[in-house]
């Protein structure tokens, strides 16, 4: 199986993207990608929240998508605004659910909503992109 690559986008708004297998081990790789991108943009203050958000989004894709891979994207549409996305081939949209008492699941999207400035889902012809935005303080 070919190794996934991480690459900066040569044109448009700056960004990083990596295709990953739909496996639990991909969560750690996604966190590293987010941390590398934020460090490159001097937005380190967003690293902890960004890593937690991408962990939840990738975990959801691993759990619910039916494709063999997913794609993590980190783009910087504005100097202090970052959008983290996870693309998969499932057309099923994520649902925020109320966790049952004592349950260890169903908290991820509520956590994403609490940490992110905004979040949502884009329908794609082949699946969807679930994204979350963080805003920095503009030191970079």
């Amino acid at each position: 199986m070919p190794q996934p690559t991480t690459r900066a986008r040569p044109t448009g708004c700056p960004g990083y993207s990596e295709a990953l297998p739909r496996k639990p081990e991909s969560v750690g790789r996604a966190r590293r990608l987010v941390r590398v991108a934020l460090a490159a943009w001097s937005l380190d203050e967003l690293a902890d929240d960004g890593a937690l958000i991408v962990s939840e989004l990738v975990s959801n894709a691993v759990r619910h998508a039916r494709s063999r891979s997913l794609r993590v994207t980190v783009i910087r549409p504005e100097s202090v605004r970052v959008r983290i996305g996870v693309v998969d081939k499932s057309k099923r949209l994520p649902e925020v659910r109320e966790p049952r008492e004592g349950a260890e699941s169903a908290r991820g999207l509520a956590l994403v909503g609490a940490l992110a400035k905004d979040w949502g889902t884009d329908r794609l012809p082949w699946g969807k992109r679930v994204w979350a935005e963080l805003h920095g303080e503009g030191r970079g």
Side-chain angles (χ1 to χ4, degrees), residues 23-96:
K23 295 182 177 181
E25 306 84 64
S26 293
V27 172
R29 290 176 70 174
R31 280 194 301 260
R32 283 189 293 282
L33 176 68
V34 168
R35 287 187 182 280
V36 164
L38 294 172
W41 297 326
S42 299
L43 292 169
D44 297 288
E45 75 268 16
L46 302 177
D48 290 341
D49 288 351
L52 191 50
I53 286 169
V54 81
S55 294
E56 293 300 332
L57 298 182
V58 170
S59 292
N60 281 350
V62 166
R63 196 173 301 117
H64 300 293
R66 295 295 169 239
S67 57
R68 291 192 298 181
S69 65
L70 54 95
R71 177 164 292 280
V72 176
T73 60
V74 188
I75 62 170
R76 186 181 179 195
E78 295 173 6
S79 64
V80 296
R81 185 167 59 105
V82 174
R83 183 177 278 209
I84 298 166
V86 175
V87 178
D88 66 57
K89 292 183 180 176
S90 171
K91 292 190 179 219
R92 185 172 171 215
L93 300 181
E95 300 174 34
V96 178

